[in-house]
Amino acid sequence: MNASDRDKYFFDLNGFLLLKGALSAVEVSDLNAALDALLPIQLGEWKGRVHGHNFADNDGVNLQQIYEGGAAFEGLIDHPSWIEKVKCFVGGADTFDYNHGPLFIDECFANIRGPGEAIGFHSGGHEGAKRTQYRFFNGRFHCGQINILMALTDIKSGDGATMVVPGSHKANFPHPDAERNRMRGDNSSVDDVEGAIEIHMDAGDAILFVDALSHGSAERVNPGERRIIVFRYGPSWGNFRHGYQVSDELAARLSPDRLQIVRPQQPLVPE
Ligand SMILES: O=C(O)CCC(=O)C(=O)O
Ligand SMILES: [Fe+2]
């Protein structure tokens, strides 16, 4: 679905959109079954081309390069619930940004998080990072990184919901509560950051957000696990965040449109 005028207004205002029912119940159950087949995974372990990884000690396990994990994940590369919106917000049509096509996925992973786990508060417009920037110029969006964060389980109060400070993609100053926490040596807690809201989701919902938005997650306090998948899209000249590469097997399986998004350029070398 294309970005509507309503999408554009609220994305510009808040830095995110909640896409209700982005994935069908069948898609959610296929994705969970495909994840079950990859789990458990240890840090540093490879399951085919899917890699066990974490960002920090307490934010759960990531299954990096999840689009390598089977057909269920391949459908997320250009999913109709978000791909046209992502193209609109990354933008760049008819400019040098489109040199190798519309998009590139620089990171995609599933994350499994249990009780006591969370991800700390990070990002914000004040950082000025080019890679993750929010930009609107001459009537068009030109964002550096648009994330699609999909819920594979219901994520409600106590489940460790994603938290955002609406509008913080345009912030010029660090959040004072984050600064206070940093001074205390605790840069992790999002729960006591004024203006941060939990985004509750049903399994199958997705959050579209520009990475410049200040965000993190509440700590999971409920038993059981929270499952999400994140795909990060930027312009086609981007590079992998972690240095993973697309396998020849995946490249051979994908349609030209999907391949363009995961590997916009073929290496150009002498025969
Ligand atoms: O785990 C979350 O809810 C937030 C994940 C996050 O920080 C991201 O996808 O950039
Ligand atoms: Fe993040």
Side-chain angles (χ1 to χ4, degrees):
M1 260 182 293
N2 287 324
S4 64
D5 287 348
R6 178 173 294 270
D7 290 336
K8 291 176 191 172
Y9 177 80
F10 283 104
F11 174 72
D12 175 62
L13 185 73
N14 292 324
F16 73 97
L17 297 172
L18 177 58
L19 309 179
K20 291 296 297 174
L23 300 171
S24 69
V26 171
E27 286 174 310
V28 170
S29 109
D30 286 352
L31 289 163
N32 273 317
L35 272 184
D36 288 340
L38 291 164
L39 291 169
I41 192 166
Q42 305 303 314
L43 296 182
E45 182 182 357
W46 290 93
K47 291 274 175 82
R49 295 293 283 253
V50 175
H51 195 216
H53 169 266
N54 66 1
F55 295 116
D57 286 345
N58 198 38
D59 52 23
V61 66
N62 296 330
L63 292 89
Q64 287 280 358
Q65 288 295 90
I66 195 64
Y67 57 34
E68 297 267 7
F73 303 108
E74 291 168 23
L76 304 176
I77 293 169
D78 59 351
H79 197 284
S81 291
W82 58 76
I83 196 67
E84 293 306 323
K85 298 184 206 292
V86 170
K87 283 184 193 167
C88 171
F89 297 136
V90 172
D94 309 317
T95 77
F96 197 56
D97 277 337
Y98 243 55
N99 211 16
H100 306 291
L103 295 170
F104 172 63
I105 294 170
D106 72 8
E107 184 178 28
C108 71
F109 61 99
N111 171 270
I112 319 283
R113 210 173 276 161
E117 295 181 326
I119 191 165
F121 188 64
H122 57 282
S123 208
H126 65 288
E127 289 186 349
K130 291 185 279 294
R131 185 166 185 157
T132 61
Q133 70 182 300
Y134 174 78
R135 183 160 176 255
F136 186 81
F137 178 75
N138 252 351
R140 298 200 302 183
F141 294 94
H142 300 269
C143 293
Q145 191 174 71
I146 296 293
N147 300 327
I148 300 291
L149 186 155
M150 309 150 220
L152 297 189
T153 53
D154 291 347
I155 305 177
K156 303 287 168 66
S157 183
D159 291 334
T162 300
M163 297 185 72
V164 305
V165 177
S168 55
H169 58 309
K170 297 181 183 175
N172 291 306
F173 300 94
H175 195 301
D177 294 338
E179 277 303 281
R180 179 205 57 213
N181 290 349
R182 198 176 59 79
M183 297 301 283
R184 285 183 189 154
D186 165 23
N187 60 7
S188 62
S189 178
V190 193
D191 298 88
D192 60 351
V193 170
E194 184 176 348
I197 57 165
E198 289 195 15
I199 303 182
H200 291 167
M201 297 198 275
D202 295 309
D205 294 347
I207 309 170
L208 178 159
F209 65 106
V210 61
D211 197 78
L213 190 70
S214 291
H215 64 278
S217 84
E219 182 181 322
R220 185 175 179 95
V221 293
N222 295 340
E225 62 183 22
R226 183 193 91 141
R227 289 184 170 194
I228 60 165
I229 295 179
V230 177
F231 273 53
R232 306 193 198 277
Y233 299 85
S236 60
W237 45 263
N239 202 351
F240 284 98
R241 176 175 181 182
H242 304 287
Y244 300 117
Q245 299 294 313
V246 175
S247 69
D248 292 339
E249 293 74 18
L250 180 67
R253 277 202 305 275
L254 292 181
S255 68
D257 282 353
R258 287 184 183 167
L259 184 58
Q260 179 82 45
I261 296 175
V262 303
R263 197 174 67 188
Q265 292 196 70
Q266 290 288 352
L268 188 57
V269 290
E271 294 290 307

